[in-house]
Amino acid sequence: MHERAMHHIAHIHTDFPTKFGIPRQSGLVDSLKAVVQFVPEFRNADAVRGLEDFSHIWLLWEFSQAVREKWSPTVRPPRLGGNTRIGVFATRSPFRPNPIGLSSVRLEGVEFHPTLGPLLHIAGADLMDGTPIYDIKPYLRYGDCHPEAAGGFTDGHPRQSLDVSFPPALLERISPALRDSLIGVLAQDPRPAYHHSPERRYVLPFARWEISFTVAENLLVVQDVLEADGLSGRSAGSED
C-alpha cells in the first residue's frame, strides 16, 4: 500500500510557551486568542477564499512533543486519575500511533498580510505556541454538531471550574487584553488531575509572565506574577 507523506501547512501562535495550563479541549476558554500563520509554500490568498464566511473551523495538528517510535493500545486518561487504562482510540491522548490532534475553534477574521500572506485570527484554541498545523477545514453546523452524543467515560467525570482569587495588585501586571483569558485558563484548573496538595505551588507560563498559584479545595489563589525569563517551546497542546 502506498503511503503518502503529510506536510505542515501552517503554525499557530498562542500565549502558551509550554504545555502546562493549556485547556484540555478547544473552546473551553473562548477568550483565548491565537493566529494561524501559513508556511511560505501555502501563503496563497486563493487557498482561503470563502473561509471568512464560516464562524468556526477545524484544525488538524501534530502533537509534536509526543512523537514516539512505539505506541501502546491503552493509555491512562488524566480525567480518570491517571490510574485506569482505556483504549487509546477511546481517548484524545497525545500518545497515539499518529500524533494528530483535532480542535474546533472560532474564526474571528482573515487578514491578508503583505509578506506573511493570509493570517487566520481565531479564538478558543487549545494549542501550544508553534504547533504545526496539517490541515484546516470549515466547521459545518448541520453535520458536525450532535447535541445528543454520548460522551463515554467523560460523562461520568465532569470537570468543575475553580473559583479564582487574583489580587488586584497582581492582576494589574497583566495586559488588560489578556486578563479574562488568563483567569479563564486558571479556572479550568491547570494542575494534573492527580495533584491535590494545597501546599504545593504551581507556576503557569502564560504569554510573557509566570503565574504562581496554589489550590485548596475549589479555590485557586494567585500568589505572584513575574516576567518570564527565557521561556521557549514549540509543540502541541493538551487533550483528554
Side-chain angles (χ1 to χ4, degrees), residues 95-106:
F95 305 111
R96 324 182 65 77
N98 293 305
I100 297 174
L102 176 69
S103 297
S104 173
V105 298
R106 179 162 52 87

Side-chain angles (χ1 to χ4, degrees), residues 63-72 94-99:
F63 285 103
S64 52
Q65 281 193 345
V67 178
R68 295 182 174 183
E69 292 296 326
K70 298 181 180 180
W71 71 284
S72 171
F95 305 111
R96 324 182 65 77
N98 293 305

